[in-house]
Amino acid sequence: MASHPLEHVIRAADAAITAEDFDALTDFYADDATLVVKPGLHVTGKDKIRAAFVKIAEHVRHSLVVGQGRIEVIEGADTALVIMESTLDYLDAGEKVSATRRATYVFRRDAGARWVCTVDNSYGTDLLDHCGGE
């Protein structure tokens, strides 16, 4: 089975995160996109998303390496839900951390028929564990 074009888009975005090419990274987002920075903290807009990634890179001492595992793309009209395993390797307080998250992303086609991310939630449904039943 052929891969969905979004797999290539996500791979390129993850490479931009790893390379800390935040200008290129923001091009993957819609102007009104929202990023879940961590449970309870969301930012909206390209400038705030870029600033959040800069702070994340500083927090992990510029060690973040992002990769992909299994991926499922569910497309309807000009919108797609992406459910995937996102792998993360980074330093936290000097300790190496390796994690796999079951992320959820929402993409839409822009006016030029290019896929852009509108919701970036690398925590996936784990957010429910942090919402306190709200």
Side-chain angles (χ1 to χ4, degrees), residues 34-120:
T34 297
L35 168 70
V36 177
V37 178
K38 64 182 182 180
L41 178 60
H42 309 163
V43 296
T44 299
K46 286 185 174 189
D47 290 341
K48 290 180 181 176
I49 290 171
R50 185 188 190 288
F53 275 109
V54 168
K55 287 181 183 178
I56 290 166
E58 291 168 355
H59 177 77
V60 298
R61 300 180 186 181
H62 306 281
S63 64
L64 184 59
V65 176
V66 182
Q68 304 79 33
R70 295 178 299 169
I71 184 168
E72 184 72 30
V73 178
I74 304 163
E75 187 177 340
D78 284 334
T79 304
L81 171 64
V82 177
I83 302 166
M84 67 176 282
E85 292 174 327
S86 182
T87 60
L88 308 166
D89 292 300
Y90 58 94
L91 295 175
D92 186 17
E95 298 289 324
K96 183 176 176 171
V97 176
S98 292
T100 299
R101 296 181 183 163
R102 290 191 166 197
T104 55
Y105 306 104
V106 177
F107 284 82
R108 74 171 174 240
R109 287 189 220 265
D110 67 8
R114 186 177 65 96
W115 287 108
V116 291
C117 185
T118 59
V119 179
D120 181 337

